[in-house]
Amino acid sequence: MGTEHIHIIPTAEWLNTDSKPLIIAGPCSAESESQIMHVAEGLSKSGRVHLMRAGIWKPRTRPNTFEGMGVQALPWLRKAQEQFGVKWMVEVANEEHVKAALDEGIEIVWIGARTTVNPFSVQEIANALEGNDIPVFIKNPLNPDLELWIGAFERFSKVGLHKLVGVHRGFNTYQDHVFRNSPNWEIPIELKTKLPQLEIVVDPSHIAGKRNLLHEISQKALDLAFDGLMIEVHPNPDAALSDPKQQIALDDFTSFLNELENRKTHFVDAVSIDKLQRLRSLIDEIDYNLLENLKRRIDIVDEIGLYKAESGVTVFQLERWIQIIEDRLQYAKEQGIDAALVKDMWTLIHNASIKRQTEIVNKNLSERDTFDA
Ligand code: PEP
Ligand code: MN
């Protein structure tokens, strides 16, 4: 299904600025009034944040762990908002959360990864928010399912909420990896391709799971031209009640941002544009050569197919396939080309060839049947 009907209003129209990257920061969880006031003061003084975040209802994997401070934290956020002039956003996971948050003056919410997976919950939240012109940030679902993520945008857009932003927080993996959640950058990039007007911020904290990987992921997010970062910041991360390993210290926040390089998303000067044009025309020429060669290969594959049909020989020849793949991989290695890419490409090409030859053999057989009859 297409995505043209999903209407999105850009952040520049509802945040007071169009400066990029968008920076959202704050603790994983609101823990006390003094913690919230301290963070709000530090972050607003840094002059670098567009919005602040804090979880007050925490979706925890196991019960009997810290499940958030709940509604009692809402007045802390409201007070900090009034005092320091930066808006707080909170995670909402059901209708009750939405009502409580709206009643206490929260003006922006986000949908967590454990909620986006469940269309019933997403619909419940969308219905509860209907009629309130409030921005909704939607984290990707835990599992790498782009349709499910798009479905969530669709549900909010359908009830008239159009101030929508994506949050890429990585995807669950069963086994432990370097990252807590696998980034699978191709998925949010595909989302951008399908919904070009959508802004997506990256949540390096939940992708990394560890402080020391935050810089690498944040830089990658900026290099890939994502629209911003959502970073967990805590006055004393090691003592945090949730996600202690991945939060950065409030005191380190400004230097963390300063160490990131903001690359331009486009070439601006004439010389660079000229060079880019030339290189792109070379790429175009190479692509046409590849396609011409592919066409020549297909013609020969057809000729062999006919030959196999006439000689009554099987289409698939295991030794030949083994020889092709070994030979191409060896050549790729010598040329320094990624072996996985070559393997994927030749598997696709070989499968397509087998399919064509099978069609040729079947056609030949049915023609022979007609002739024999
Ligand atoms: C969070 O932002 O603290 C959180 C629970 O994130 P996620 O939904 O991405 O796991
Ligand atoms: Mn967290």
Short mmCIF file of all heavy atoms in Angstrom, two decimals, residues 190-238:
data_model
loop_
_atom_site.label_atom_id
_atom_site.label_comp_id
_atom_site.label_asym_id
_atom_site.label_seq_id
_atom_site.Cartn_x
_atom_site.Cartn_y
_atom_site.Cartn_z
N GLU A 190 14.86 3.36 4.36
CA GLU A 190 13.74 3.01 3.48
C GLU A 190 12.47 3.78 3.90
O GLU A 190 11.69 4.22 3.05
CB GLU A 190 13.49 1.50 3.51
CG GLU A 190 12.65 1.07 2.32
CD GLU A 190 12.41 -0.42 2.27
OE1 GLU A 190 13.22 -1.18 2.84
OE2 GLU A 190 11.39 -0.80 1.67
N LEU A 191 12.32 3.98 5.20
CA LEU A 191 11.17 4.76 5.67
C LEU A 191 11.23 6.18 5.10
O LEU A 191 10.24 6.74 4.65
CB LEU A 191 11.14 4.78 7.20
CG LEU A 191 10.01 5.58 7.85
CD1 LEU A 191 8.64 5.03 7.44
CD2 LEU A 191 10.12 5.57 9.37
N LYS A 192 12.45 6.75 5.10
CA LYS A 192 12.65 8.11 4.54
C LYS A 192 12.30 8.12 3.05
O LYS A 192 11.77 9.09 2.54
CB LYS A 192 14.13 8.50 4.65
CG LYS A 192 14.47 9.17 5.95
CD LYS A 192 14.58 10.68 5.71
CE LYS A 192 15.11 11.39 6.92
NZ LYS A 192 14.60 12.75 7.01
N THR A 193 12.65 7.02 2.37
CA THR A 193 12.37 6.97 0.94
C THR A 193 10.86 6.92 0.71
O THR A 193 10.34 7.54 -0.21
CB THR A 193 13.02 5.69 0.34
OG1 THR A 193 14.31 5.55 0.92
CG2 THR A 193 13.13 5.76 -1.15
N LYS A 194 10.18 6.17 1.58
CA LYS A 194 8.72 6.04 1.41
C LYS A 194 7.96 7.26 1.91
O LYS A 194 6.88 7.56 1.42
CB LYS A 194 8.22 4.81 2.15
CG LYS A 194 8.72 3.52 1.50
CD LYS A 194 7.91 2.33 1.94
CE LYS A 194 8.20 1.18 0.99
NZ LYS A 194 7.75 -0.09 1.50
N LEU A 195 8.49 7.93 2.92
CA LEU A 195 7.83 9.12 3.48
C LEU A 195 8.84 10.26 3.52
O LEU A 195 9.35 10.62 4.58
CB LEU A 195 7.37 8.83 4.92
CG LEU A 195 6.09 8.06 5.18
CD1 LEU A 195 5.89 7.81 6.66
CD2 LEU A 195 4.90 8.82 4.61
N PRO A 196 9.16 10.83 2.35
CA PRO A 196 10.26 11.81 2.28
C PRO A 196 10.05 13.03 3.18
O PRO A 196 11.00 13.66 3.60
CB PRO A 196 10.30 12.22 0.81
CG PRO A 196 9.48 11.23 0.08
CD PRO A 196 8.52 10.61 1.06
N GLN A 197 8.81 13.36 3.47
CA GLN A 197 8.57 14.54 4.31
C GLN A 197 8.76 14.26 5.79
O GLN A 197 8.76 15.17 6.62
CB GLN A 197 7.17 15.12 4.02
CG GLN A 197 5.99 14.30 4.50
CD GLN A 197 5.63 13.11 3.61
OE1 GLN A 197 6.49 12.43 3.04
NE2 GLN A 197 4.35 12.81 3.51
N LEU A 198 8.95 12.99 6.15
CA LEU A 198 9.08 12.62 7.57
C LEU A 198 10.49 12.91 8.08
O LEU A 198 11.47 12.57 7.43
CB LEU A 198 8.80 11.12 7.74
CG LEU A 198 8.95 10.58 9.17
CD1 LEU A 198 7.80 11.07 10.03
CD2 LEU A 198 9.02 9.06 9.18
N GLU A 199 10.58 13.55 9.25
CA GLU A 199 11.88 13.72 9.89
C GLU A 199 12.09 12.54 10.85
O GLU A 199 11.15 12.11 11.51
CB GLU A 199 11.93 15.03 10.66
CG GLU A 199 12.02 16.23 9.72
CD GLU A 199 11.51 17.51 10.37
OE1 GLU A 199 12.22 18.09 11.20
OE2 GLU A 199 10.37 17.90 10.05
N ILE A 200 13.32 12.06 10.89
CA ILE A 200 13.62 10.93 11.78
C ILE A 200 14.80 11.31 12.66
O ILE A 200 15.85 11.72 12.15
CB ILE A 200 13.98 9.65 10.98
CG1 ILE A 200 12.82 9.26 10.05
CG2 ILE A 200 14.30 8.49 11.92
CD1 ILE A 200 13.08 8.02 9.20
N VAL A 201 14.63 11.18 13.96
CA VAL A 201 15.76 11.38 14.85
C VAL A 201 16.25 10.01 15.30
O VAL A 201 15.47 9.05 15.35
CB VAL A 201 15.43 12.27 16.08
CG1 VAL A 201 14.89 13.61 15.66
CG2 VAL A 201 14.44 11.61 17.00
N VAL A 202 17.52 9.93 15.59
CA VAL A 202 18.11 8.65 16.00
C VAL A 202 18.32 8.68 17.51
O VAL A 202 18.71 9.71 18.08
CB VAL A 202 19.44 8.42 15.24
CG1 VAL A 202 20.15 7.17 15.76
CG2 VAL A 202 19.17 8.28 13.74
N ASP A 203 18.03 7.55 18.14
CA ASP A 203 18.20 7.41 19.59
C ASP A 203 19.44 6.53 19.82
O ASP A 203 19.33 5.31 19.94
CB ASP A 203 16.92 6.77 20.16
CG ASP A 203 17.02 6.35 21.62
OD1 ASP A 203 18.14 6.32 22.17
OD2 ASP A 203 15.99 6.02 22.20
N PRO A 204 20.62 7.16 19.84
CA PRO A 204 21.84 6.35 19.97
C PRO A 204 21.93 5.64 21.32
O PRO A 204 22.58 4.60 21.43
CB PRO A 204 22.97 7.36 19.80
CG PRO A 204 22.38 8.68 20.03
CD PRO A 204 20.92 8.59 19.78
N SER A 205 21.26 6.18 22.35
CA SER A 205 21.36 5.57 23.68
C SER A 205 20.81 4.15 23.67
O SER A 205 21.45 3.23 24.18
CB SER A 205 20.59 6.41 24.70
OG SER A 205 21.02 7.75 24.64
N HIS A 206 19.60 3.98 23.08
CA HIS A 206 19.02 2.63 23.08
C HIS A 206 19.63 1.73 22.03
O HIS A 206 19.58 0.51 22.17
CB HIS A 206 17.49 2.71 22.98
CG HIS A 206 16.87 3.22 24.24
ND1 HIS A 206 16.67 4.57 24.46
CD2 HIS A 206 16.48 2.59 25.38
CE1 HIS A 206 16.15 4.73 25.68
NE2 HIS A 206 16.04 3.55 26.25
N ILE A 207 20.21 2.29 20.98
CA ILE A 207 20.94 1.43 20.02
C ILE A 207 22.21 0.92 20.70
O ILE A 207 22.49 -0.27 20.72
CB ILE A 207 21.29 2.20 18.72
CG1 ILE A 207 20.00 2.56 17.96
CG2 ILE A 207 22.23 1.37 17.84
CD1 ILE A 207 20.21 3.39 16.69
N ALA A 208 22.95 1.83 21.31
CA ALA A 208 24.26 1.48 21.87
C ALA A 208 24.14 0.60 23.12
O ALA A 208 24.78 -0.45 23.21
CB ALA A 208 25.03 2.74 22.23
N GLY A 209 23.34 1.05 24.07
CA GLY A 209 23.27 0.33 25.33
C GLY A 209 24.47 0.60 26.23
O GLY A 209 24.48 0.21 27.39
N LYS A 210 25.50 1.24 25.67
CA LYS A 210 26.71 1.56 26.46
C LYS A 210 27.19 2.96 26.08
O LYS A 210 27.20 3.30 24.90
CB LYS A 210 27.87 0.61 26.13
CG LYS A 210 27.60 -0.84 26.34
CD LYS A 210 28.78 -1.66 25.82
CE LYS A 210 28.39 -3.08 25.45
NZ LYS A 210 27.50 -3.23 24.29
N ARG A 211 27.61 3.68 27.08
CA ARG A 211 28.08 5.06 26.84
C ARG A 211 29.18 5.17 25.80
O ARG A 211 29.18 6.05 24.97
CB ARG A 211 28.65 5.64 28.14
CG ARG A 211 27.69 6.39 28.96
CD ARG A 211 28.39 7.09 30.11
NE ARG A 211 28.77 6.20 31.21
CZ ARG A 211 27.92 5.63 32.04
NH1 ARG A 211 26.62 5.83 31.90
NH2 ARG A 211 28.34 4.84 33.02
N ASN A 212 30.14 4.21 25.85
CA ASN A 212 31.32 4.39 24.99
C ASN A 212 31.01 4.22 23.50
O ASN A 212 31.87 4.49 22.67
CB ASN A 212 32.46 3.46 25.43
CG ASN A 212 32.09 2.01 25.28
OD1 ASN A 212 30.92 1.68 25.11
ND2 ASN A 212 33.07 1.12 25.32
N LEU A 213 29.80 3.75 23.15
CA LEU A 213 29.48 3.61 21.72
C LEU A 213 28.60 4.75 21.20
O LEU A 213 28.28 4.81 20.03
CB LEU A 213 28.75 2.28 21.49
CG LEU A 213 29.55 1.01 21.78
CD1 LEU A 213 28.65 -0.21 21.65
CD2 LEU A 213 30.73 0.90 20.80
N LEU A 214 28.24 5.65 22.12
CA LEU A 214 27.30 6.71 21.74
C LEU A 214 27.83 7.64 20.66
O LEU A 214 27.11 8.03 19.74
CB LEU A 214 26.95 7.58 22.95
CG LEU A 214 25.93 7.05 23.94
CD1 LEU A 214 25.61 8.13 24.94
CD2 LEU A 214 24.68 6.62 23.22
N HIS A 215 29.12 7.97 20.77
CA HIS A 215 29.69 8.92 19.81
C HIS A 215 29.62 8.34 18.41
O HIS A 215 29.15 8.99 17.47
CB HIS A 215 31.14 9.28 20.18
CG HIS A 215 31.79 10.12 19.13
ND1 HIS A 215 31.66 11.49 19.09
CD2 HIS A 215 32.55 9.79 18.04
CE1 HIS A 215 32.31 11.96 18.04
NE2 HIS A 215 32.85 10.95 17.39
N GLU A 216 30.08 7.09 18.29
CA GLU A 216 30.13 6.42 16.99
C GLU A 216 28.75 6.39 16.32
O GLU A 216 28.60 6.74 15.14
CB GLU A 216 30.64 4.99 17.24
CG GLU A 216 30.68 4.11 16.03
CD GLU A 216 31.00 2.65 16.42
OE1 GLU A 216 31.68 2.42 17.46
OE2 GLU A 216 30.53 1.76 15.69
N ILE A 217 27.74 6.03 17.10
CA ILE A 217 26.39 5.92 16.50
C ILE A 217 25.82 7.29 16.18
O ILE A 217 25.20 7.48 15.13
CB ILE A 217 25.45 5.13 17.43
CG1 ILE A 217 25.99 3.71 17.57
CG2 ILE A 217 24.03 5.09 16.89
CD1 ILE A 217 25.39 2.96 18.69
N SER A 218 26.07 8.25 17.06
CA SER A 218 25.54 9.60 16.80
C SER A 218 26.18 10.19 15.55
O SER A 218 25.50 10.82 14.72
CB SER A 218 25.83 10.53 17.98
OG SER A 218 25.33 9.95 19.16
N GLN A 219 27.49 10.00 15.39
CA GLN A 219 28.18 10.53 14.21
C GLN A 219 27.64 9.88 12.95
O GLN A 219 27.40 10.54 11.95
CB GLN A 219 29.70 10.30 14.33
CG GLN A 219 30.50 10.99 13.22
CD GLN A 219 30.32 12.51 13.24
OE1 GLN A 219 30.65 13.17 14.22
NE2 GLN A 219 29.77 13.08 12.17
N LYS A 220 27.42 8.56 13.04
CA LYS A 220 26.88 7.84 11.88
C LYS A 220 25.49 8.40 11.52
O LYS A 220 25.18 8.60 10.35
CB LYS A 220 26.79 6.35 12.25
CG LYS A 220 26.15 5.48 11.23
CD LYS A 220 27.18 4.69 10.49
CE LYS A 220 26.50 3.83 9.42
NZ LYS A 220 27.44 3.06 8.67
N ALA A 221 24.69 8.66 12.55
CA ALA A 221 23.34 9.20 12.31
C ALA A 221 23.44 10.54 11.56
O ALA A 221 22.70 10.79 10.61
CB ALA A 221 22.60 9.38 13.63
N LEU A 222 24.39 11.39 11.98
CA LEU A 222 24.53 12.70 11.31
C LEU A 222 25.08 12.51 9.89
O LEU A 222 24.63 13.16 8.96
CB LEU A 222 25.45 13.62 12.12
CG LEU A 222 24.96 13.96 13.55
CD1 LEU A 222 25.94 14.92 14.21
CD2 LEU A 222 23.56 14.58 13.52
N ASP A 223 26.04 11.58 9.75
CA ASP A 223 26.61 11.34 8.42
C ASP A 223 25.56 10.82 7.45
O ASP A 223 25.63 11.06 6.25
CB ASP A 223 27.76 10.33 8.50
CG ASP A 223 28.95 10.88 9.26
OD1 ASP A 223 28.94 12.11 9.54
OD2 ASP A 223 29.87 10.12 9.59
N LEU A 224 24.59 10.09 7.98
CA LEU A 224 23.53 9.55 7.12
C LEU A 224 22.39 10.56 6.95
O LEU A 224 21.33 10.22 6.44
CB LEU A 224 22.99 8.23 7.69
CG LEU A 224 23.94 7.03 7.63
CD1 LEU A 224 23.37 5.84 8.40
CD2 LEU A 224 24.21 6.63 6.18
N ALA A 225 22.62 11.77 7.41
CA ALA A 225 21.66 12.88 7.24
C ALA A 225 20.33 12.66 7.96
O ALA A 225 19.28 13.12 7.49
CB ALA A 225 21.42 13.18 5.76
N PHE A 226 20.36 11.97 9.09
CA PHE A 226 19.14 11.91 9.90
C PHE A 226 18.94 13.29 10.53
O PHE A 226 19.86 14.11 10.58
CB PHE A 226 19.25 10.80 10.96
CG PHE A 226 18.98 9.45 10.35
CD1 PHE A 226 20.01 8.63 9.93
CD2 PHE A 226 17.68 9.02 10.14
CE1 PHE A 226 19.76 7.40 9.33
CE2 PHE A 226 17.41 7.80 9.53
CZ PHE A 226 18.45 7.00 9.13
N ASP A 227 17.72 13.53 11.02
CA ASP A 227 17.36 14.90 11.39
C ASP A 227 17.70 15.31 12.81
O ASP A 227 17.56 16.48 13.15
CB ASP A 227 15.86 15.11 11.15
CG ASP A 227 15.51 14.84 9.70
OD1 ASP A 227 15.67 15.76 8.89
OD2 ASP A 227 15.13 13.71 9.37
N GLY A 228 18.10 14.33 13.63
CA GLY A 228 18.42 14.73 15.00
C GLY A 228 18.79 13.54 15.86
O GLY A 228 18.90 12.40 15.38
N LEU A 229 18.96 13.84 17.15
CA LEU A 229 19.38 12.81 18.11
C LEU A 229 18.51 12.91 19.36
O LEU A 229 18.17 14.01 19.80
CB LEU A 229 20.84 13.03 18.51
CG LEU A 229 21.88 12.98 17.39
CD1 LEU A 229 23.24 13.46 17.91
CD2 LEU A 229 22.01 11.57 16.81
N MET A 230 18.18 11.75 19.91
CA MET A 230 17.52 11.71 21.23
C MET A 230 18.50 11.00 22.16
O MET A 230 18.81 9.82 21.96
CB MET A 230 16.20 10.94 21.17
CG MET A 230 15.50 10.88 22.52
SD MET A 230 14.15 9.67 22.58
CE MET A 230 12.76 10.68 22.18
N ILE A 231 19.00 11.74 23.15
CA ILE A 231 20.07 11.19 23.98
C ILE A 231 19.67 11.17 25.45
O ILE A 231 19.17 12.15 25.99
CB ILE A 231 21.35 12.05 23.80
CG1 ILE A 231 21.76 12.06 22.33
CG2 ILE A 231 22.50 11.51 24.65
CD1 ILE A 231 22.72 13.15 21.99
N GLU A 232 19.95 10.04 26.09
CA GLU A 232 19.64 9.94 27.53
C GLU A 232 20.76 10.57 28.35
O GLU A 232 21.93 10.19 28.23
CB GLU A 232 19.43 8.48 27.92
CG GLU A 232 18.10 7.94 27.43
CD GLU A 232 17.76 6.55 27.94
OE1 GLU A 232 18.69 5.82 28.37
OE2 GLU A 232 16.59 6.19 27.91
N VAL A 233 20.37 11.53 29.16
CA VAL A 233 21.33 12.29 29.97
C VAL A 233 20.86 12.28 31.43
O VAL A 233 19.67 12.50 31.69
CB VAL A 233 21.40 13.76 29.48
CG1 VAL A 233 22.38 14.57 30.31
CG2 VAL A 233 21.79 13.82 28.01
N HIS A 234 21.78 12.04 32.35
CA HIS A 234 21.40 11.90 33.76
C HIS A 234 22.47 12.61 34.61
O HIS A 234 23.65 12.58 34.25
CB HIS A 234 21.37 10.40 34.09
CG HIS A 234 20.75 10.08 35.41
ND1 HIS A 234 21.42 10.25 36.61
CD2 HIS A 234 19.54 9.57 35.72
CE1 HIS A 234 20.62 9.87 37.60
NE2 HIS A 234 19.47 9.45 37.09
N PRO A 235 22.06 13.23 35.74
CA PRO A 235 23.07 13.91 36.56
C PRO A 235 24.13 12.94 37.10
O PRO A 235 25.29 13.31 37.27
CB PRO A 235 22.26 14.50 37.72
CG PRO A 235 20.84 14.46 37.29
CD PRO A 235 20.69 13.39 36.26
N ASN A 236 23.71 11.69 37.35
CA ASN A 236 24.66 10.72 37.89
C ASN A 236 24.31 9.33 37.31
O ASN A 236 23.66 8.52 37.97
CB ASN A 236 24.53 10.73 39.43
CG ASN A 236 25.46 9.73 40.07
OD1 ASN A 236 26.33 9.16 39.40
ND2 ASN A 236 25.28 9.50 41.37
N PRO A 237 24.73 9.10 36.06
CA PRO A 237 24.26 7.92 35.33
C PRO A 237 24.43 6.60 36.08
O PRO A 237 23.51 5.76 36.05
CB PRO A 237 25.11 7.91 34.06
CG PRO A 237 25.59 9.29 33.90
CD PRO A 237 25.66 9.91 35.27
N ASP A 238 25.55 6.42 36.76
CA ASP A 238 25.77 5.11 37.40
C ASP A 238 24.72 4.81 38.47
O ASP A 238 24.47 3.65 38.80
CB ASP A 238 27.18 5.04 38.00
CG ASP A 238 28.22 4.98 36.89
OD1 ASP A 238 27.87 4.48 35.79
OD2 ASP A 238 29.36 5.44 37.11
#
